[in-house]
Amino acid sequence: MGKNRVRVVALVLLVLYIGFIIYTTLLCREPKEYREYNFQLFWSYQRFFDDVRPQGQQILLNILFFILFGALVPFCVDDSWKRNLVFTVASACLLSGTVEFLQLLYRLGFAEFDDVFDNTIGAAIGAFAVLMLGRVKRGK
């Protein structure tokens, strides 16, 4: 498959996945009576280390949620692998931060910085895996 065709397919999949993210985090939720938030960075990790097991599952799910996003973005951007990784991480952080802001604004969920951190880590893992596989494939 040609490079342009791969880029188009990746872009379509990325747009669909962003739509999925928006649907699951914003559109399918009912507003609550009050805003729920915690802006203390790494509070969820503290709870996890205090042996609150469901918190660890939530952290893992947030990381996994953005791995596909991170794996698709590098196919849509034609640049060096380092710039690709930086762009992917920055765009994941922006998307996740926007979702958290909208959840807070419209009372659609629990807004927190830890979700942005976890989602960004997931995107970085996805991008790094794709970029390293590409380097291995090219023999570098």
Side-chain angles (χ1 to χ4, degrees), residues 1-135:
M1 190 180 300
K3 196 173 186 178
N4 285 336
R5 183 173 278 170
V6 169
R7 182 175 289 139
V8 168
V9 170
L11 188 58
V12 169
L13 290 174
L14 181 62
V15 168
L16 289 172
Y17 194 66
I18 290 171
F20 172 73
I21 290 170
I22 290 169
Y23 177 76
T24 58
T25 59
L26 299 171
L27 299 178
C28 74
R29 297 184 179 192
E30 293 292 322
K32 298 180 179 185
E33 291 183 30
Y34 53 90
R35 287 179 173 82
E36 291 183 300
Y37 58 90
N38 188 336
F39 296 137
Q40 177 186 350
L41 191 57
F42 303 127
W43 75 272
S44 61
Y45 289 85
Q46 183 61 48
R47 282 194 64 196
F48 172 68
F49 290 122
D50 288 342
D51 205 28
V52 180
R53 285 199 170 81
Q55 196 64 49
Q57 293 170 346
Q58 188 63 39
I59 292 168
L60 182 60
L61 288 173
N62 280 326
I63 292 170
L64 292 173
F65 193 48
F66 265 65
I67 288 178
L68 183 56
F69 177 87
L72 288 171
V73 170
F75 288 108
C76 301
V77 180
D78 191 20
D79 214 337
S80 73
W81 76 270
K82 290 178 185 176
R83 287 189 196 155
N84 240 323
L85 187 59
V86 169
F87 179 78
T88 302
V89 167
S91 60
C93 187
L94 180 65
L95 175 60
S96 183
T98 300
V99 165
E100 293 299 315
F101 173 74
L102 292 172
Q103 284 181 340
L104 177 66
L105 183 66
Y106 295 110
R107 303 182 321 267
L108 296 173
F110 190 82
E112 57 180 307
F113 288 138
D114 285 9
D115 282 358
V116 176
F117 178 78
D118 296 341
N119 295 156
T120 303
I121 293 297
I125 290 169
F128 189 76
V130 164
L131 294 169
M132 288 301 106
L133 287 172
R135 289 175 61 92

